[in-house]
Amino acid sequence: MSPPAIQNRLPIRGLLICGLLICGLLFVGLSGCARTREARDDIKTARQAFAIGDLESARSKLEPLATETGPLEAPAALDLAMVELASGDAAAAERRLRTLRDRFDDQPKIALTDEAASLLTDDTRRMFRPAGYEEVMIRAMLAVCSLAGDQIDAESYSLQATNRQAELAREAEERGLLEASEIYQPIAMAPYLRGLLREATHQNYDDAQRAYQLVSLARPQFAPAEADIARAVNGTHSQAGYGVLYVIACVGRGPVLEETNAPTTSQSLSIASAILNAKANKTDKDGQEEDGLAIPNIATVKVPQIALPPDSIAAIGVVVEGKLRGATQTLTDVAELAGRQLQAEQPWTIARAVVRRATKEAAVAKASDSLGLEGTAGSLVHFAAASAWSGIERADTRCWSMLPKEVQVFRIELPIGTHQLGLLPLSSLGRPTASGQQRSIEIFDGANTYLIAVAPDQVVHIVNPQGN
Amino acid sequence: MNYFRYYSLATIFAGLTFVGCASHQYGHILAQDDKDMVGSHAAGAATWNPLVDEAMAKLLGQCPPTSDPTTLQPASYQQNLQSEPVIGSALATGPLAMGPANVCFIGVENKSAEEVGDFKDQLYERIDSQINVGGPFRSISRRMVGAALRETRLRPDSLYLPQNRDVFSAALGRQGTPIDYLLYANITSGTTERNKTSQRDYLLTLELVNVHTGETLKESAKIRKGYSKSRAAKWWNFGWFDQADG
């Protein structure tokens, strides 16, 4: 065979190989995505079922995901804990959250294999890590689970939540983050729980005072904090012959992440440039500088964005002996926390997407070069392969999606004895949107009684067992 | 750049370091002679434990044990008896007629700049235990104290007032645990900043109040701690270079 004939055949063979590679990539990518897409659909279905109060359906969708190793295992387990709590099985929710807390604490700071894999695929291959506010919320929800059950570990969990919060603040400060206040997000719920528990000892008003002052700092809009501080400074837990009822409610449908296209900002491109320069700042064996990866001309990348599912509940009305005594007030706005967290991370998310695209394009270019593809055919193959590879990318939308939109509380002093209590879902206009739930509660002298409610929308679930 | 070589190396490197990066936690039991850990950002075991031991030793040292249980009284009280005539019965004005005095440990109040966290309850238990170690005092149950505070709805700091003290003592008396003394523990701190290094003085004060006479006995212990961002800063301010004095 003459040399020109060989030269003519190489591009055809190269094209065939490239075509097969593209098909292979698409097949692997799409088949791998099929299971993940199915799992994502299951989570969406579970979320809908949870919102309308169909806890059994939500559980049946989440349980297989929470026990199956995969990228959605941890988020599904977090959601399942919320379903268990709403179902009244606070002990199971506590066990699950405790296991997850330990697992997240044991996660390596850097999982290089996952990071390398995400460079070739997308961010969904990265190890799921809860956001800072989610880490605090895990501990705070553990305290809530304990309050709904035996209450033995509630104080420890509340202390862990405040400690974790302090650690996050310290870490943010030590890293010298310019926007540390955005990354570190104090959550009023953690110190509030600690405050109410310490106050109930009748001996540790100083601890309660500190905790309530932290609540006031973290959420100045929380009006009852002023009365709480005044009580901790000068007052007492409750008047003689009275006890205190705390209604702690998870109200509304919490934020979820959805995929969107975001423009590449100058901040994200400069981060990407720094990463690529660090990679390219190498020399070959002859002492010559190797070619670095160039930032491709990318207008938009796929990133997660916050979406708030619609709901009609704004607060929970507390009815004692048939009389409306007040409504729960927002202590922690989870939606706001999630939004701030995502905003702080957005430049890095976009930068990772840009670096990933640059790496993929460079790899495709090198492959087509080594196969001898040049000219129009080479460009076509390059374009097709790079587009196909990048086209299967997805934004990382994993999150703890069944957290409530807001955690709200209501405190009321009641005479000792048994009381008939009703919880009504209220709209933003203060009108009841459904009939709510009734429960009889026992108030003890000088002690706290906790009523935990989960109300993603119009259905209010009371967690405590009957008669507790 | 040879990308295949780059990614092969990266994968091997990743595989090797994955094991190294795995964040496991291990625990072990400290021996009795092991040193307490010094907290890097706040007071810890190395601060609180000696503070309690020293303050309690000083307080109990004021009340030397005697061979006769009927005369077991704090030294200051004995001095008081010598200096001032006793009016009324011993029970009405003195802490005890027979046996050790009953001490009601009200609690630890934290007025320092730091959150004491889970140490607070341990400090309580440590002090409470030391009251009972062969001295002239015997503490009453913490649960009793809590129950009496709940019953009377009195704040611990309000018990300094004689009328509140009487109400509180009466509540405990009704439960079968008459008291002679109230014990308060108070944590305070003082912080001195010098650029990125700081010194914090921790003071634990124990205050014993005779519920019959209102007389108080006060002892305290202090520990000073330096906090630095680096070892060099520690050496510069507190170590070889001794620059902390300016």
Side-chain angles (χ1 to χ4, degrees):
Chain A
M1 196 178 289
S2 65
I6 294 171
Q7 280 174 358
N8 286 339
R9 284 185 61 187
L10 260 176
I12 296 165
R13 197 168 59 188
L15 278 171
L16 279 172
I17 293 169
C18 275
L20 284 171
L21 272 174
I22 292 167
C23 290
L25 269 174
L26 282 172
F27 177 75
V28 171
L30 294 175
S31 61
C33 285
R35 177 65 201 118
T36 315
R37 195 181 305 117
E38 196 182 319
R40 265 197 296 263
D41 289 343
D42 283 349
I43 287 186
K44 271 186 193 165
T45 311
R47 219 180 278 156
Q48 290 291 343
F50 180 68
I52 60 169
D54 185 1
L55 300 179
E56 271 317 301
S57 299
R59 186 196 296 268
S60 66
K61 288 287 180 192
L62 288 171
E63 260 175 354
L65 294 174
T67 50
E68 179 186 296
T69 308
L72 292 171
E73 180 195 353
L78 285 169
D79 285 344
L80 184 57
M82 290 305 292
V83 174
E84 286 168 337
L85 181 66
S87 310
D89 195 354
E94 187 180 340
R95 273 195 304 275
R96 194 175 295 280
L97 286 174
R98 205 166 43 215
T99 308
L100 286 163
R101 177 203 62 189
D102 294 345
R103 185 172 143 188
F104 293 139
D105 285 352
D106 286 347
Q107 274 182 345
K109 293 272 183 202
I110 306 165
L112 284 177
T113 44
D114 282 7
E115 296 294 335
S118 76
L119 205 59
L120 299 175
T121 52
D122 55 31
D123 271 359
T124 58
R125 287 302 305 271
R126 299 177 83 212
M127 183 182 285
F128 174 78
R129 289 175 199 282
Y133 77 91
E134 285 176 331
E135 284 192 57
V136 180
M137 283 302 292
I138 288 173
R139 289 154 176 84
M141 290 309 294
L142 273 168
V144 170
C145 291
S146 183
L147 289 178
D150 57 16
Q151 301 180 8
I152 290 174
D153 291 323
E155 191 160 343
S156 301
Y157 293 138
S158 70
L159 190 59
Q160 286 171 22
T162 44
N163 284 350
R164 184 68 194 124
Q165 193 151 282
E167 279 170 27
L168 288 171
R170 203 161 53 224
E171 281 171 17
E173 189 190 332
E174 282 173 358
R175 277 181 291 168
L177 292 173
L178 293 175
E179 296 172 337
S181 59
E182 287 184 21
I183 305 228
Y184 158 64
Q185 303 161 11
I187 297 170
M189 187 182 171
Y192 187 78
L193 292 176
R194 176 140 178 87
L196 63 90
L197 286 164
R198 295 305 280 178
E199 191 186 346
T201 63
H202 293 259
Q203 285 177 284
N204 298 287
Y205 288 107
D206 55 333
D207 289 347
Q209 181 192 340
R210 277 168 184 261
Y212 292 142
Q213 281 167 344
L214 278 175
V215 170
S216 181
L217 277 175
R219 186 156 180 92
Q221 308 96 311
F222 183 64
E226 197 181 334
D228 292 333
I229 293 169
R231 202 174 54 250
V233 173
N234 289 315
T236 53
H237 171 268
S238 52
Q239 54 182 308
Y242 280 67
V244 175
L245 169 72
Y246 281 97
V247 177
I248 301 172
C250 300
V251 176
R253 299 181 65 185
V256 295
L257 295 179
E258 286 180 353
E259 189 173 282
T260 186
N261 285 309
T264 49
T265 59
S266 55
Q267 189 186 1
S268 59
L269 286 176
S270 67
I271 295 169
S273 175
I275 297 169
L276 292 174
N277 284 340
K279 274 185 173 183
N281 192 18
K282 293 178 175 65
T283 52
D284 62 15
K285 60 185 175 184
D286 301 325
Q288 300 296 312
E289 280 205 1
E290 294 186 1
D291 293 334
L293 301 178
I295 294 181
N297 187 15
I298 303 167
T300 59
V301 289
K302 288 175 183 170
V303 292
Q305 72 168 0
I306 292 284
L308 267 180
D311 58 44
S312 59
I313 188 170
I316 289 183
V318 181
V319 180
V320 182
E321 313 293 5
K323 192 176 170 188
L324 185 66
R325 301 295 294 269
T328 51
Q329 298 207 35
T330 304
L331 181 62
T332 295
D333 187 339
V334 179
E336 185 195 342
L337 292 171
R340 277 159 55 189
Q341 179 88 25
L342 199 74
Q343 194 185 354
E345 285 178 1
Q346 196 77 297
W348 295 92
T349 310
I350 297 173
R352 272 199 309 275
V354 172
V355 171
R356 189 182 306 122
R357 190 76 63 85
T359 308
K360 286 176 180 179
E361 293 212 358
V364 168
K366 194 71 186 173
S368 53
D369 280 354
S370 61
L371 290 168
L373 297 172
E374 289 174 350
T376 311
S379 297
L380 278 172
V381 167
H382 182 123
F383 175 75
S387 299
W389 200 353
S390 301
I392 56 173
E393 278 183 25
R394 293 194 67 100
D396 187 5
T397 55
R398 292 172 296 173
C399 63
W400 190 359
S401 62
M402 283 187 194
L403 269 179
K405 185 162 73 182
E406 292 173 353
V407 177
Q408 302 184 348
V409 293
F410 179 73
R411 178 189 194 275
I412 184 170
E413 281 188 32
L414 292 172
I416 54 174
T418 307
H419 297 270
Q420 279 301 318
L421 189 95
L423 297 183
L424 290 174
L426 300 177
S427 69
S428 54
L429 297 173
R431 294 191 184 125
T433 56
S435 56
Q437 291 277 330
Q438 300 281 328
R439 184 62 51 97
S440 95
I441 50 150
E442 186 77 22
I443 298 291
F444 301 96
D445 188 29
N448 287 348
T449 301
Y450 306 98
L451 198 70
I452 314 298
V454 180
D457 204 343
Q458 296 198 12
V459 179
V460 179
H461 306 280
I462 296 181
V463 175
N464 306 57
Q466 191 77 34
N468 185 9
Chain B
M1 186 189 286
N2 185 336
Y3 287 99
F4 293 106
R5 188 182 61 185
Y6 174 81
Y7 282 116
S8 305
L9 283 172
T11 308
I12 293 166
F13 179 69
L16 288 173
T17 50
F18 182 75
V19 179
C21 287
S23 172
H24 293 295
Q25 188 163 330
Y26 302 93
H28 71 284
I29 305 292
L30 295 180
Q32 282 295 330
D33 55 348
D34 281 336
K35 285 181 183 171
D36 281 330
M37 197 179 270
V38 178
S40 60
H41 292 78
T47 304
W48 297 128
N49 293 346
L51 272 181
V52 170
D53 295 346
E54 186 187 337
M56 279 305 295
K58 281 182 177 175
L59 189 76
L60 296 175
Q62 290 275 357
C63 320
T66 61
S67 55
D68 182 1
T70 58
T71 59
L72 273 178
Q73 292 168 11
S76 56
Y77 177 68
Q78 290 176 345
Q79 287 163 8
N80 193 36
L81 284 179
Q82 287 163 9
S83 60
E84 291 178 19
V86 177
I87 301 169
S89 71
L91 267 177
T93 56
L96 37 125
M98 290 181 65
N102 283 334
V103 175
C104 171
F105 181 22
I106 299 296
V108 182
E109 193 177 4
N110 178 21
K111 289 182 178 170
S112 75
E114 287 175 13
E115 176 76 37
V116 183
D118 60 347
F119 249 108
K120 191 171 180 185
D121 286 337
Q122 195 169 97
L123 287 177
Y124 186 103
E125 297 300 337
R126 198 177 174 93
I127 293 170
D128 202 30
S129 303
Q130 292 198 15
I131 293 169
N132 288 310
V133 181
F137 301 115
R138 183 179 61 202
S139 69
I140 64 167
S141 163
R142 185 182 188 178
R143 291 179 194 280
M144 283 286 196
V145 180
L149 284 171
R150 188 160 55 240
E151 184 191 327
T152 57
R153 293 297 199 281
L154 288 168
R155 291 171 60 87
D157 49 9
S158 72
L159 298 180
Y160 280 103
L161 295 173
Q163 61 269 32
N164 289 344
R165 228 164 32 219
D166 291 345
V167 172
F168 182 70
S169 302
L172 281 169
R174 281 196 299 276
Q175 293 167 10
T177 47
I179 55 165
D180 303 304
Y181 289 96
L182 295 176
L183 177 64
Y184 293 89
N186 203 355
I187 297 167
T188 50
S189 68
T191 309
T192 310
E193 302 276 356
R194 183 183 166 86
N195 298 320
K196 290 185 175 178
T197 302
S198 64
Q199 177 189 322
R200 184 161 286 166
D201 299 351
Y202 298 92
L203 188 75
L204 172 67
T205 307
L206 298 176
E207 194 170 358
L208 198 64
V209 182
N210 186 320
V211 295
H212 308 293
T213 64
E215 183 195 354
T216 61
L217 185 67
K218 204 170 183 177
E219 285 297 341
S220 59
K222 186 165 89 170
I223 281 186
R224 300 175 302 147
K225 263 188 87 178
Y227 294 101
S228 309
K229 294 285 180 193
S230 64
R231 273 199 187 278
K234 179 194 160 192
W235 293 331
W236 179 255
N237 285 296
F238 304 108
W240 302 333
F241 302 101
D242 199 20
Q243 294 296 305
D245 61 355

